Amino acid sequence: MRTCYTGEVNKDYLDQTVTLFGWVHRRRDHGGVIFIDLRDRAGLAQIVVDPDNVDAFATAEDIRNEYCVRITGLVRLRPEGTGNPELASGEIEILCREIEVLNASVTPPFQLDDDNLSETTRLTHRVLDLRRPQMQRNLMLRYRVSIEVRKYLDNLGFIDIETPMLTKSTPEGARDYLVPSRVNAGEFFALPQSPQLFKQMLMVSGFDRYYQITKCFRDEDLRADRQPEFTQIDCETSFLNEEQIREIFEGMIRHVFATVQQVQLPDSFPTMTWEEAMRRFGSDKPDLRVKLEFVDVADLMQDVDFKVFSAPANDPASRVVALRVPGGAGMPRSEIDAYTKFVGIYGARGLAYIKVNDAASIPEGLQSPIVKNIHPEALRAMIARCGAQSGDLIFFGADKIKVVNDAIGALRVKIGHSEFGREHGLFEDGWQPLWVVDFPMFEYDEEEGRYFAAHHPFTSPKDGHEDYLETDPSRALAKAYDMVLNGWEMGGGSVRIHRADVQSKVFRALNIGAEEARNKFGFLLDALQYGAPPHGGVAFGLDRLVTMMAGAESIRDVIAFPKTQRAQCLLTQAPSAVDEKQLRELHIRLRSAEVKQ
Amino acid sequence: MRTCYTGEVNKDYLDQTVTLFGWVHRRRDHGGVIFIDLRDRAGLAQIVVDPDNVDAFATAEDIRNEYCVRITGLVRLRPEGTGNPELASGEIEILCREIEVLNASVTPPFQLDDDNLSETTRLTHRVLDLRRPQMQRNLMLRYRVSIEVRKYLDNLGFIDIETPMLTKSTPEGARDYLVPSRVNAGEFFALPQSPQLFKQMLMVSGFDRYYQITKCFRDEDLRADRQPEFTQIDCETSFLNEEQIREIFEGMIRHVFATVQQVQLPDSFPTMTWEEAMRRFGSDKPDLRVKLEFVDVADLMQDVDFKVFSAPANDPASRVVALRVPGGAGMPRSEIDAYTKFVGIYGARGLAYIKVNDAASIPEGLQSPIVKNIHPEALRAMIARCGAQSGDLIFFGADKIKVVNDAIGALRVKIGHSEFGREHGLFEDGWQPLWVVDFPMFEYDEEEGRYFAAHHPFTSPKDGHEDYLETDPSRALAKAYDMVLNGWEMGGGSVRIHRADVQSKVFRALNIGAEEARNKFGFLLDALQYGAPPHGGVAFGLDRLVTMMAGAESIRDVIAFPKTQRAQCLLTQAPSAVDEKQLRELHIRLRSAEVKQ
């Protein structure tokens, strides 16, 4: 058996004989001596094979990269000046006494330390890709996060209860992955989009505090940070109110950061209403590291001679905002042009701006093609409201509310993260968590002409907002909350409806008739009738949390065997064609005309 | 917020005012006072509502079973002689000061303490069924088992790595559950039957010690103790041999029993070869609590005048065994008849027996219809080999090997567990774990005329057995082991093949051609080429382990939301029909002729 992990041999083992298992990371001849960097999951150690040791030397001469070997040898100090302070084992080396090849390796298709591999190469050869120290660190970090989550929740009396993977299809929200039933011909299971209803039923059953770290499934068109299957830290508790629930779960995130990364997050996360977040940052997940804010100026622009501003300023469905960039007057024209192009991605038809050369002399001190179209009084009021100083730059968004929020919200983040933003103090590094609260209950879908649940249809309205469900759903706010960290939504949750009558009202507001509600959610409505307790919870995206903590570029870098954006596994070649016999047993056939050959 | 769980209020809280949340388990009027048994997940407490407290009393009068309430009151001693020693709160009661109905309940469809509910009723109303104290205890036990497994493995450096749920279909062994792909028309994912290949690849990637408590799926015809989805404690480690691997994992089971149930399992589990287990007990999962053993007597019966014995005694594919039941001569005829019927289930065509009235006088002292057909020398040798004493009973099995093993193996267990067996010391209560080792590599399937992998095709042959793969597969033994506890298979595993050439030989022995092997397992064969380490592992069935520990009758009693034997969820009505639109998106259609309407 091994003495310790290869990466852990250090001066404590000096003059001892150790046995190590690992892979040959690098092998080089140097002055007639063979040096092997041996690697395992804990790191590297340097092995020295002397030509005096004839057997070991002969073996070492034949060894190539990625051979799996057992090495026994004496731990000694490296010669002065040859240490490697980056390694835990950097002060010592192991003088090889015995070496055994446990398994040879063909030449790998790439160097493990090549940082410029295409993702296709990496995912096709995932087994080798996972050997790379960065991937080892990422998955180790992921594990530490999950085990610390469990420790924290266990201490608070939460219990892990498994909910089914083969569940019922309820086509709301995202597309389900379906599983044809063999025993029940013509029927299908669905893979869970979340254990939402099961965890609510567990609360009704009296389990009081539940959690699960579990796979969820959504058959969506994949964006950069989505996977068909993803992992959720799913939690629910009874008898607590919104604030108490948030306190427990921000404590969990604090605990994880403190124990896994020795990072101390704030003692209490700030909360911000959804309304305020949208008003100030155009986003329900604002990156608070960026020190830029929206300033609404529609009321000042209603009577200007500039249709681009005055039209949205007079339309309640539109918004006119200014985004003051301190010190931005010096921003090069090319950068402004690039931003103009950038906001186009979000549907903005242009990007008006004003350079404030001299804030004391308006309009002369302002430089912009649009200044001439806006009367000085409006300019003066706008400059004052923005608090603009000489040397600042002001960008404008004027369009439908969603376009302005998306475009100027993205611009705000882009400028903050840019070299310019960092140099001008518009970006403050660190971890900036917050809770966004008081989300609207519903979002109106213009195309379909009906309301959809903003969170999900089991979310409780705020106290006093129940009547709005029938009178004016758009005014109803929800006991829903998202935890946001540096512009990423880490998790979200809500207090749930625990009364059958309120649940029915919400279904009505969503245009879900009594019969449809019974068909889809009858088991929940039934459960609510038997003394359902007040309850609520939260779900965190583990993939995303770990991606952030690892500083990784993609959630695929913190998942052992991820799918591509075409939802394929390049390693195993899944999905794949199956035997006709299998389809027959499942009572289905292919729509062959549509199937590629 | 609550002071503590209802079930935890005790004398420590005497004279204090406490706030409790829970459900009304029972309510009764007694001498003008209302008594409420309040229940939560921790247990019961007695609430007393005095008529002096007008508001609370009025509320309490309207309260019914399963209402969810908040109660505030003063903890006081129960009047002498009215304590309930079965409850943690049994010495005290709470004098109610305030009571708030958090949610009313309609009348439940059954009494929670009714122990005679049909399983259909229980699964249909699972939310209420889970409120029953036994189910609360079962799921709590399940949680404690899983968290202790994690603690143990974490301490040993095992890390939890998630493997995909949407994987590739490889139709070997059980039927796959398939998931049609929307993005890749005509292709399917399969839900994993186990993470076997992924955990092996993680070893090749150098993660060294892996575990996962994860769902696996098999679309089998369901037997009493099977579910379409089940939970596996799945583990793998590199660089250890068979014995070292077993030591780690019997330590895990020991840890779980010690911490969760304060049960000390043996310091070292006995091992028994598969050959010995089959020979002595006719089973690869012998229940060692039963003190009965097979005695092979074929060699003694080859020349007797009784075809029922002599025919199988002369057939190498058959077996003749005696099962001595100490003290069994007094067994009533009706019981013997019942056993004769019982072995018929396993294909035995009868059940020969001999009562040993006087062991010293043969054949006169033997009582049986068959004695006259067997010459005294054979009888004498048989009695001697069995060590039969006067007053014993001997049953016989004589048939094809499998029939004898199945029938007499089951008979052995049946007698041991019977009232007769317990009264006659044939059953020793307690936990009797063992490892069954040295399984054969292959089983020959007469019908298909080929070998199948006894464990799975990635299992390593024993040292020195590699050549048998090509010369005589039936002789090859495997580095495979099962952990057996009281006649149940708790888990099993093996050392895996880590060399591509050996893996190819095994595929050949299984009649899997090179092309087929590449199609199905190419990614594994590739992985083995890159310095795959020696590795092995084990998988435990969590459902079964917890069922045993809970003393439950069915694994359905330790799963929150199980499926019926028809693979249906009676609570949510899954599986169910889905929209035509969903099928169209998945490029499939129903084989409508076969579909029930």
Side-chain angles (χ1 to χ4, degrees):
Chain A
M1 277 176 100
R2 74 179 141 216
T3 309
C4 63
Y5 280 112
T6 297
E8 290 172 351
V9 200
N10 59 20
K11 274 168 77 179
D12 297 346
Y13 294 90
L14 216 55
D15 299 325
Q16 294 180 31
T17 296
V18 296
T19 296
L20 306 175
F21 292 104
W23 287 265
V24 175
H25 192 63
R26 233 177 268 107
R27 197 208 67 144
R28 57 194 189 284
D29 284 280
H30 189 71
V33 174
I34 295 175
F35 291 88
I36 294 170
D37 286 342
L38 190 67
R39 188 194 68 234
D40 68 10
R41 79 179 202 189
L44 297 171
Q46 177 167 291
I47 316 295
V48 182
V49 194
D50 238 52
D52 301 351
N53 187 336
V54 178
D55 286 353
F57 196 82
T59 308
E61 276 193 301
D62 287 341
I63 274 177
R64 296 292 173 268
N65 281 358
E66 300 309 321
Y67 274 40
C68 180
V69 298
R70 178 182 62 77
I71 280 176
T72 302
L74 186 75
V75 179
R76 66 182 191 191
L77 283 177
R78 294 197 193 191
E80 203 141 335
T82 66
N84 182 346
E86 282 180 22
L87 298 182
S89 68
E91 292 179 285
I92 58 92
E93 61 188 14
I94 293 113
L95 179 64
C96 178
R97 208 177 62 201
E98 232 182 272
I99 181 164
E100 181 191 0
V101 173
L102 299 171
N103 213 349
S105 173
V106 299
T107 305
F110 52 79
Q111 295 282 336
L112 288 203
D113 48 12
D114 183 344
D115 283 335
N116 294 308
L117 299 169
S118 77
E119 189 158 60
T120 301
T121 301
R122 291 181 53 201
L123 293 181
T124 304
H125 301 281
R126 189 58 157 184
V127 179
L128 288 175
D129 185 49
L130 287 175
R131 283 193 186 166
R132 307 195 313 146
Q134 184 58 55
M135 289 306 295
Q136 296 264 325
R137 274 197 297 274
N138 286 355
L139 292 191
M140 200 69 86
L141 172 70
R142 184 183 179 109
Y143 173 59
R144 295 301 337 156
V145 170
S146 72
I147 200 87
E148 290 300 338
V149 162
R150 290 182 191 280
K151 281 186 196 166
Y152 178 87
L153 292 173
D154 185 59
N155 273 335
L156 291 180
F158 283 82
I159 69 173
D160 179 353
I161 300 178
E162 296 172 64
T163 54
M165 288 283 135
L166 296 171
T167 67
K168 181 175 172 161
S169 177
T170 51
E172 277 283 298
R175 254 184 236 103
D176 282 324
Y177 276 103
L178 295 184
V179 183
S181 166
R182 177 178 57 84
V183 182
N184 303 285
E187 299 190 335
F188 293 78
F189 295 104
L191 300 178
Q193 297 191 21
S194 100
Q196 182 62 33
L197 294 176
F198 287 106
K199 70 177 174 175
Q200 291 193 233
M201 289 192 288
L202 288 171
M203 291 304 104
V204 180
S205 290
F207 285 98
D208 198 87
R209 295 189 161 197
Y210 144 96
Y211 81 97
Q212 198 181 185
I213 300 183
T214 189
K215 283 280 175 70
C216 301
F217 303 83
R218 282 181 206 167
D219 187 8
E220 291 175 300
D221 296 308
L222 301 173
R223 285 184 274 143
D225 59 345
R226 290 280 174 88
Q227 283 279 307
E229 53 181 298
F230 55 96
T231 303
Q232 207 160 283
I233 305 169
D234 193 54
C235 310
E236 196 81 2
T237 174
S238 294
F239 304 121
L240 297 182
N241 65 26
E242 252 193 282
E243 289 73 23
Q244 292 164 331
I245 294 173
R246 288 202 296 264
E247 198 180 315
I248 286 181
F249 294 106
E250 70 173 63
M252 180 177 94
I253 297 298
R254 227 177 353 251
H255 171 83
V256 167
F257 272 80
T259 51
V260 177
Q261 300 207 304
Q262 291 73 52
V263 165
Q264 197 53 53
L265 295 182
D267 272 351
S268 176
F269 293 3
T271 61
M272 185 182 291
T273 65
W274 178 85
E275 187 279 325
E276 180 182 349
M278 299 307 286
R279 180 163 43 78
R280 291 174 56 192
F281 308 109
S283 167
D284 58 4
K285 38 178 186 285
D287 184 345
L288 295 187
R289 293 173 303 176
V290 175
K291 304 297 159 195
L292 298 172
E293 289 194 22
F294 288 21
V295 176
D296 276 286
V297 294
D299 58 320
L300 308 177
M301 300 297 163
Q302 285 172 334
D303 64 349
V304 299
D305 234 7
F306 184 46
K307 268 258 164 72
V308 173
F309 281 11
S310 62
N314 286 292
D315 170 18
S318 293
R319 194 173 178 189
V320 183
V321 304
L323 186 79
R324 178 173 78 94
V325 182
M331 193 184 280
R333 179 61 200 240
S334 61
E335 197 165 336
I336 295 177
D337 288 348
Y339 289 138
T340 306
K341 211 169 153 189
F342 174 73
V343 296
I345 300 170
Y346 301 90
R349 281 159 295 181
L351 181 62
Y353 66 90
I354 293 178
K355 287 190 174 178
V356 184
N357 294 328
D358 180 359
S361 104
I362 292 172
E364 301 76 14
L366 303 183
Q367 177 188 343
S368 162
I370 66 168
V371 165
K372 62 180 185 299
N373 300 323
I374 303 175
H375 57 75
E377 198 183 328
L379 288 171
R380 230 170 267 126
M382 181 275 292
I383 291 290
R385 188 177 290 173
C386 290
Q389 310 288 316
S390 303
D392 291 354
L393 173 69
I394 301 172
F395 284 115
F396 294 90
D399 210 317
K400 292 289 176 195
I401 292 172
K402 184 172 162 37
V403 172
V404 169
N405 287 345
D406 289 353
I408 307 302
L411 176 66
R412 172 184 167 271
V413 172
K414 184 97 174 163
I415 294 174
H417 285 250
S418 70
E419 206 174 314
F420 178 92
R422 286 168 190 266
E423 280 169 4
H424 286 71
L426 309 182
F427 185 84
E428 184 189 319
D429 218 345
W431 296 105
Q432 301 223 8
L434 81 156
W435 287 104
V436 175
V437 303
D438 295 358
F439 277 75
M441 284 285 287
F442 307 104
E443 282 166 8
Y444 192 76
D445 186 302
E446 300 279 349
E447 265 174 53
E448 299 213 17
R450 72 174 183 95
Y451 284 104
F452 282 84
H455 189 56
H456 56 54
F458 318 108
T459 303
S460 171
K462 296 291 276 190
D463 297 336
H465 287 227
E466 272 180 40
D467 289 345
Y468 296 145
L469 299 177
E470 282 165 338
T471 56
D472 183 1
S474 69
R475 286 182 67 182
L477 296 183
K479 292 183 179 174
Y481 34 81
D482 277 358
M483 186 189 288
V484 176
L485 184 59
N486 291 5
W488 289 43
E489 183 196 327
M490 291 290 96
S494 63
V495 170
R496 326 300 181 185
I497 297 166
H498 69 286
R499 298 177 57 113
D501 56 334
V502 179
Q503 187 63 70
S504 295
K505 273 189 203 170
V506 169
F507 283 149
R508 271 201 298 281
L510 289 167
N511 222 5
I512 300 177
E515 198 190 321
E516 189 186 353
R518 176 130 293 276
N519 271 341
K520 287 183 180 169
F521 307 112
F523 53 98
L524 177 71
L525 291 171
D526 284 346
L528 295 182
Q529 291 188 350
Y530 294 109
H535 63 286
V538 68
F540 291 91
L542 178 64
D543 308 297
R544 208 179 275 182
L545 176 62
V546 177
T547 303
M548 283 216 80
M549 293 177 75
E553 276 175 30
S554 153
I555 61 169
R556 291 185 294 282
D557 281 344
V558 301
I559 296 173
F561 302 104
K563 306 279 189 299
T564 64
Q565 280 181 261
R566 276 193 59 80
Q568 289 170 313
C569 172
L570 298 183
L571 175 65
T572 60
Q573 301 294 328
S576 61
V578 298
D579 293 347
E580 173 62 18
K581 175 169 173 286
Q582 290 175 280
L583 299 183
R584 218 164 30 230
E585 286 187 320
L586 299 176
H587 319 283
I588 57 173
R589 62 172 91 246
L590 298 181
R591 291 180 187 250
S592 39
E594 300 164 6
V595 173
K596 63 177 180 198
Q597 288 305 321
Chain B
M1 280 175 100
R2 75 180 139 216
T3 309
C4 63
Y5 280 112
T6 296
E8 291 172 350
V9 199
N10 59 20
K11 275 168 77 179
D12 297 347
Y13 294 90
L14 216 56
D15 299 326
Q16 293 180 32
T17 296
V18 296
T19 296
L20 307 173
F21 293 104
W23 286 266
V24 175
H25 193 62
R26 233 177 268 106
R27 197 208 67 145
R28 56 193 190 284
D29 285 279
H30 189 71
V33 174
I34 296 175
F35 291 88
I36 295 170
D37 285 343
L38 191 67
R39 188 194 67 236
D40 68 10
R41 77 179 204 190
L44 297 170
Q46 176 166 293
I47 315 295
V48 182
V49 194
D50 237 52
D52 301 351
N53 188 336
V54 179
D55 286 353
F57 196 82
T59 308
E61 277 193 303
D62 287 341
I63 274 177
R64 295 292 172 271
N65 281 359
E66 299 309 320
Y67 273 41
C68 181
V69 299
R70 177 181 63 78
I71 280 174
T72 303
L74 186 74
V75 179
R76 67 182 190 192
L77 284 177
R78 293 198 194 189
E80 203 141 336
T82 66
N84 182 347
E86 282 180 22
L87 299 181
S89 68
E91 293 180 284
I92 57 94
E93 61 188 14
I94 295 113
L95 178 64
C96 178
R97 208 176 64 203
E98 233 181 271
I99 181 165
E100 181 191 1
V101 173
L102 299 171
N103 213 349
S105 172
V106 299
T107 305
F110 52 80
Q111 294 282 336
L112 288 203
D113 47 12
D114 184 345
D115 283 334
N116 295 307
L117 300 169
S118 76
E119 190 160 57
T120 301
T121 301
R122 290 181 53 201
L123 293 181
T124 305
H125 301 281
R126 189 59 158 183
V127 178
L128 287 175
D129 185 48
L130 288 175
R131 280 192 188 167
R132 307 195 313 148
Q134 185 58 56
M135 290 305 295
Q136 296 264 326
R137 275 196 297 273
N138 286 356
L139 292 190
M140 199 68 86
L141 173 69
R142 184 183 180 110
Y143 173 59
R144 293 306 332 158
V145 169
S146 73
I147 200 89
E148 290 300 337
V149 163
R150 290 182 191 280
K151 280 186 196 166
Y152 178 86
L153 293 173
D154 185 60
N155 273 336
L156 291 180
F158 283 82
I159 68 174
D160 179 354
I161 301 179
E162 296 172 65
T163 54
M165 290 283 133
L166 296 171
T167 68
K168 182 176 171 160
S169 178
T170 53
E172 278 281 300
R175 255 184 236 104
D176 282 324
Y177 276 103
L178 295 183
V179 183
S181 166
R182 177 179 56 83
V183 182
N184 303 284
E187 299 189 336
F188 293 78
F189 295 103
L191 300 179
Q193 297 190 22
S194 100
Q196 183 61 33
L197 294 175
F198 288 106
K199 70 176 174 175
Q200 291 193 234
M201 290 193 286
L202 288 171
M203 291 304 104
V204 181
S205 290
F207 285 99
D208 198 86
R209 295 190 159 195
Y210 143 96
Y211 80 97
Q212 199 181 184
I213 300 182
T214 189
K215 283 282 175 71
C216 301
F217 303 83
R218 281 182 206 166
D219 187 7
E220 290 175 300
D221 296 308
L222 301 174
R223 285 186 272 141
D225 60 346
R226 291 280 174 87
Q227 284 279 306
E229 53 180 297
F230 55 98
T231 303
Q232 206 160 283
I233 305 169
D234 193 54
C235 310
E236 196 82 0
T237 173
S238 294
F239 304 122
L240 297 184
N241 65 26
E242 253 193 281
E243 290 73 23
Q244 292 164 331
I245 294 173
R246 287 202 295 265
E247 197 181 315
I248 286 181
F249 294 106
E250 70 174 62
M252 182 177 94
I253 297 298
R254 234 184 339 259
H255 172 82
V256 166
F257 272 79
T259 51
V260 176
Q261 298 206 305
Q262 290 74 51
V263 166
Q264 197 55 51
L265 295 182
D267 272 352
S268 178
F269 293 4
T271 61
M272 183 181 293
T273 64
W274 177 84
E275 188 278 326
E276 182 183 347
M278 298 308 286
R279 181 164 42 78
R280 292 174 56 193
F281 309 109
S283 167
D284 58 4
K285 37 179 188 281
D287 184 344
L288 295 188
R289 294 173 303 176
V290 175
K291 302 299 158 194
L292 298 172
E293 288 194 23
F294 288 21
V295 176
D296 277 286
V297 294
D299 57 321
L300 308 177
M301 300 296 162
Q302 285 172 335
D303 62 350
V304 300
D305 233 9
F306 184 46
K307 269 259 169 68
V308 172
F309 281 10
S310 62
N314 287 290
D315 170 17
S318 292
R319 194 174 178 187
V320 183
V321 304
L323 187 78
R324 178 174 77 93
V325 182
M331 194 183 279
R333 179 62 202 240
S334 60
E335 196 164 339
I336 295 178
D337 288 347
Y339 289 139
T340 307
K341 208 168 154 190
F342 174 73
V343 296
I345 300 171
Y346 301 91
R349 280 159 296 179
L351 180 62
Y353 66 91
I354 294 178
K355 285 189 176 179
V356 185
N357 295 327
D358 179 359
S361 103
I362 291 172
E364 300 76 16
L366 303 182
Q367 177 190 343
S368 162
I370 67 169
V371 165
K372 62 181 184 300
N373 300 322
I374 304 174
H375 58 75
E377 199 184 329
L379 288 171
R380 231 170 265 124
M382 183 274 292
I383 291 288
R385 189 178 289 172
C386 291
Q389 311 287 318
S390 303
D392 291 355
L393 174 70
I394 302 173
F395 285 113
F396 294 90
D399 210 316
K400 293 288 176 196
I401 292 173
K402 185 173 157 39
V403 172
V404 170
N405 288 344
D406 290 354
I408 308 302
L411 176 65
R412 173 184 168 271
V413 172
K414 184 95 174 165
I415 295 174
H417 286 248
S418 70
E419 208 174 311
F420 179 92
R422 287 168 190 265
E423 279 169 3
H424 286 71
L426 309 180
F427 186 85
E428 184 189 316
D429 218 344
W431 297 104
Q432 301 223 10
L434 81 156
W435 288 103
V436 176
V437 303
D438 294 0
F439 278 76
M441 283 286 287
F442 306 105
E443 282 165 8
Y444 192 76
D445 186 302
E446 301 280 349
E447 264 176 55
E448 300 213 17
R450 71 174 183 95
Y451 285 103
F452 282 85
H455 190 58
H456 56 54
F458 317 109
T459 303
S460 172
K462 296 291 277 189
D463 297 336
H465 288 226
E466 272 180 38
D467 289 345
Y468 297 144
L469 299 178
E470 281 163 339
T471 57
D472 183 1
S474 69
R475 287 182 67 182
L477 297 184
K479 293 183 178 172
Y481 33 80
D482 277 358
M483 186 189 288
V484 176
L485 183 58
N486 291 5
W488 289 44
E489 182 196 327
M490 291 288 96
S494 64
V495 170
R496 325 300 181 184
I497 296 165
H498 70 285
R499 297 176 57 112
D501 56 336
V502 180
Q503 187 64 70
S504 294
K505 274 189 204 169
V506 170
F507 283 150
R508 271 199 299 280
L510 289 168
N511 224 4
I512 300 177
E515 198 190 320
E516 189 186 351
R518 176 128 296 276
N519 271 341
K520 286 184 181 168
F521 307 114
F523 53 97
L524 177 71
L525 291 170
D526 283 346
L528 295 182
Q529 292 188 347
Y530 295 109
H535 63 287
V538 68
F540 291 90
L542 178 64
D543 308 296
R544 210 178 276 181
L545 176 62
V546 177
T547 303
M548 283 216 80
M549 294 178 74
E553 277 176 29
S554 152
I555 61 170
R556 292 186 292 282
D557 280 343
V558 302
I559 296 173
F561 302 104
K563 307 279 189 297
T564 64
Q565 280 182 261
R566 277 192 59 80
Q568 289 171 314
C569 172
L570 298 182
L571 174 67
T572 61
Q573 300 295 329
S576 61
V578 299
D579 294 347
E580 173 63 18
K581 174 168 174 285
Q582 291 176 279
L583 299 183
R584 218 164 31 232
E585 286 186 320
L586 299 176
H587 319 284
I588 58 172
R589 63 172 91 245
L590 297 182
R591 290 178 188 253
S592 37
E594 299 163 6
V595 173
K596 63 177 182 201
Q597 287 306 323

